[in-house]
Amino acid sequence: MLLHQVAQRATDLEAATAFYTRLLGTAPLASFDPPGLVFFALDGGTRLLLEANAPSALIYLRVPSVRERVEQLRADGVEIANEPHVIFDDTEGTFGEPATEWMAFIRDPEGNLVGLASREAPLPAAESPSTST
């Protein structure tokens, strides 16, 4: 089974469209106004739908490096709700190749929380920060 679509609340479609265009690095797939729907294509065929009547969703997006992406977004004036941090060291390779899982949270123009995650080369034991969830 594949995830088909995720809807995100966006009462200001213009601001939300600009934000997600920048965040995702791609233009919308389709816009319908009325009724006020904007679609973005995500990897794997999943769509992100921006709609005023949708509830707020907690979306997690995989990026190559959470730390680098957060600095880019900070420079763009995006609110960083939670700084990059290590979630866990997947030394066993439970979720693929062994890696350190990083996460951070930002806010979109509607105030919705958006998670950013990356799997990066494992940190040497001496550099590994304590993990959190």
Side-chain angles (χ1 to χ4, degrees):
M1 195 173 298
L2 293 174
L3 179 62
H4 176 64
Q5 181 168 289
V6 175
Q8 180 67 293
R9 182 174 182 78
T11 56
D12 183 342
L13 278 178
E14 186 176 325
T17 299
F19 176 84
Y20 283 97
T21 296
R22 172 72 174 109
L23 179 63
L24 300 173
T26 186
L29 178 65
S31 298
F32 302 99
D33 197 15
L37 307 172
V38 177
F39 294 88
F40 286 89
L42 303 176
D43 292 342
T46 303
R47 298 184 310 212
L48 171 61
L49 164 62
L50 303 179
E51 177 188 11
N53 293 323
S56 179
L58 181 49
I59 300 169
Y60 291 83
L61 300 171
R62 179 166 291 179
V63 297
S65 170
V66 166
R67 293 167 288 172
E68 290 175 12
R69 191 68 175 120
V70 163
E71 290 312 311
Q72 294 165 347
L73 294 168
R74 187 187 321 275
D76 285 347
V78 171
E79 179 186 346
I80 310 304
N82 189 275
E83 293 292 332
H85 57 283
V86 172
I87 294 296
F88 63 91
D89 285 311
D90 185 7
T91 56
E92 302 295 319
T94 303
F95 295 104
E97 291 295 317
T100 297
E101 185 117 351
W102 286 84
M103 192 164 291
F105 292 91
I106 60 173
R107 292 210 180 266
D108 73 7
E110 300 282 331
N112 297 310
L113 207 55
V114 177
L116 302 177
S118 62
R119 290 183 55 81
E120 301 179 35
L123 294 172
E127 294 179 33
S128 185
S130 61
T131 59
S132 62
T133 55

